[in-house]
Amino acid sequence: FWKIMSKMNQFEKSDILTSIIVLNYNAGKLLIDCVQSLINTNYHKLEIIVVDNISTDNSQKICKEKFPEIKLIENKENLGYCEGNNVGIRNAKGKFIVILNPDTKVEPNWLKELFNAYEKLGDGLYQPKIMSFEDNLFESGGNMLQIFGFGYSKGRGITDEGQFDESGEIGYASGACLFTKTEIINKIGLFDPFIFLYHDDLDLGWRAKQLGIKSFYAAKSKIYHAGSYNYKWSAKKFYWLERNRHYCLLTHYSKKTFYKMLPSIVLVEIMMIIFYLSKGFMKMKISAYWDILKNLNHINKKYHELENKKMVSDSDIIKKLPNEIFIPDKFSNTSSAKIFNKTISGLSKIVKYFI
């Protein structure tokens, strides 16, 4: 009887329409390879939506010609990662949604394994094991949120030797490949257009935590990711990361929590300023501060919106957050990395004691 029921459940699962949203901006051949891998997925009730942010390389048109079965939405302006994906979400018909970067390739059973993890762990935001295109190196064995608003990928840059073969709860699901129920997205809210790009997934996962919605890592689902094909580790990327980190700190923590954390936040900022000076990116750091100051009215409005929806306290969230940040091996042995992690760990413990 149970074997029959199991087979029935498997059939029902494979009959669920899943919408896969691929946001494109000049991804070139990466987009074609991504969609081809989706076509090869061994789960066939798919709606593939390519949303294009006015690419100039014609990759979106080439993709549509090669794969006429996909749905192509061409935006009239570059809406960024957040609103670009929101366009796809609003047009999606599936009971489940996947947000997928165009610089990825998926294994044939990736989606079935995400569903298997969902059946075991329940409602939430999910990400697969994310590997680099080459060398069997991790891009992410699960994304984590640190107390001071930093996001990091577990295992990034290290060889897969089975360290992250267990599924389970994580800080937030990577926006490179994010799987969830459509009704969960509707409950949390769409991506925040103000963020534009970078930390968009961190913000979504943090807002989910505030509603009691967890994020999970599905170890048996695997995809491959080229990673930051537009910005790499550029000054502009650091600008977006810092701007949006401060935005999240100011909108996600209550004022009471923020003021308790303020001395530690100031010390973290001093370390970040030193880092930006060392990289020659200080102009970007100042630009990030200035953009926050210019948008304080919007930030205050967003703060009150999130506070009114919050169901889980800051203290309950903070006590589960890691103290340190995972730093890839090639950087972790430097004196600056050791000092940074030791200092941030100590400050995090202080925050947890007083919150």
Side-chain angles (χ1 to χ4, degrees), residues 83-321:
E83 190 56 24
N85 275 308
N86 289 345
V87 169
I89 293 169
R90 292 188 193 103
N91 283 274
K93 297 176 181 176
K95 185 176 180 180
F96 285 80
I97 282 181
V98 177
I99 305 296
L100 187 68
N101 277 12
D103 56 340
T104 59
K105 293 180 186 177
V106 301
E107 291 201 335
N109 68 337
W110 71 289
L111 191 53
K112 284 187 177 179
E113 291 296 350
L114 282 167
F115 269 109
N116 287 339
Y118 170 80
E119 287 184 351
K120 291 177 184 176
L121 299 170
D123 284 342
L125 303 176
Y126 285 78
Q127 73 157 89
K129 178 187 286 187
I130 305 175
M131 306 297 296
S132 68
F133 273 13
E134 301 173 355
D135 302 324
N136 196 36
L137 299 178
F138 274 104
E139 277 285 314
S140 176
N143 278 18
M144 301 299 291
L145 166 65
Q146 203 272 347
I147 288 173
F148 297 109
F150 297 104
Y152 66 89
S153 302
K154 289 196 296 183
R156 188 182 181 96
I158 67 174
T159 304
D160 183 5
E161 297 176 346
Q163 308 96 315
F164 304 106
D165 280 355
E166 293 294 323
S167 300
E169 188 175 354
I170 54 175
Y172 64 100
S174 170
C177 181
L178 190 153
F179 165 88
T180 191
K181 241 181 180 177
T182 304
E183 68 180 56
I184 293 292
I185 283 285
N186 292 335
K187 185 176 180 180
I188 299 167
L190 300 179
F191 288 103
D192 187 340
F194 179 84
I195 287 177
F196 198 73
L197 78 166
Y198 294 122
H199 282 338
D200 35 74
D201 46 6
L202 181 150
D203 165 71
L204 188 76
W206 199 339
R207 285 190 278 132
K209 284 181 184 296
Q210 293 174 337
L211 300 176
I213 298 168
K214 296 178 179 179
S215 295
F216 298 102
Y217 168 67
K220 291 184 179 180
S221 176
K222 185 189 285 188
I223 72 161
Y224 302 88
H225 186 213
S228 297
Y229 69 96
N230 273 317
Y231 283 116
K232 304 293 182 184
W233 284 104
S234 65
K236 192 65 176 177
K237 181 171 182 175
F238 278 112
Y239 159 78
W240 287 113
L241 287 171
E242 278 298 276
R243 170 196 185 265
N244 294 335
R245 182 173 71 87
H246 284 289
Y247 176 68
C248 287
L249 288 174
L250 290 166
T251 55
H252 291 60
Y253 284 135
S254 71
K255 285 184 167 54
K256 182 180 178 181
T257 300
F258 185 83
Y259 290 134
K260 283 183 178 181
M261 292 177 63
L262 191 55
S264 295
I265 290 172
V266 169
L267 290 174
V268 171
E269 282 309 294
I270 292 170
M271 289 193 294
M272 293 304 296
I273 287 169
I274 293 170
F275 169 79
Y276 272 69
L277 281 168
S278 72
K279 297 294 182 183
F281 293 163
M282 194 58 202
K283 183 179 178 181
M284 291 293 101
K285 182 66 170 166
I286 293 169
S287 295
Y289 285 142
W290 178 240
D291 203 66
I292 291 295
L293 289 171
K294 284 193 304 182
N295 289 282
L296 285 178
N297 286 337
H298 171 80
I299 289 168
N300 191 50
K301 182 179 177 182
K302 191 68 179 181
Y303 165 81
H304 286 292
E305 176 190 323
L306 296 185
E307 280 297 299
N308 289 334
K309 290 173 67 176
K310 194 178 287 185
M311 298 172 65
V312 180
S313 69
D314 291 340
S315 59
D316 284 344
I317 291 173
I318 284 173
K319 67 184 180 183
K320 295 181 180 179
L321 301 183

Side-chain angles (χ1 to χ4, degrees), residues 310-350:
K310 194 178 287 185
M311 298 172 65
V312 180
S313 69
D314 291 340
S315 59
D316 284 344
I317 291 173
I318 284 173
K319 67 184 180 183
K320 295 181 180 179
L321 301 183
N323 296 323
E324 294 186 349
I325 294 173
F326 174 84
I327 300 175
D329 287 346
K330 63 180 178 179
F331 302 118
S332 62
N333 290 324
T334 63
S335 57
S336 58
K338 289 178 180 178
I339 291 169
F340 177 80
N341 240 346
K342 188 173 182 180
T343 305
I344 206 170
S345 177
L347 292 172
S348 297
K349 290 173 184 175
I350 291 169

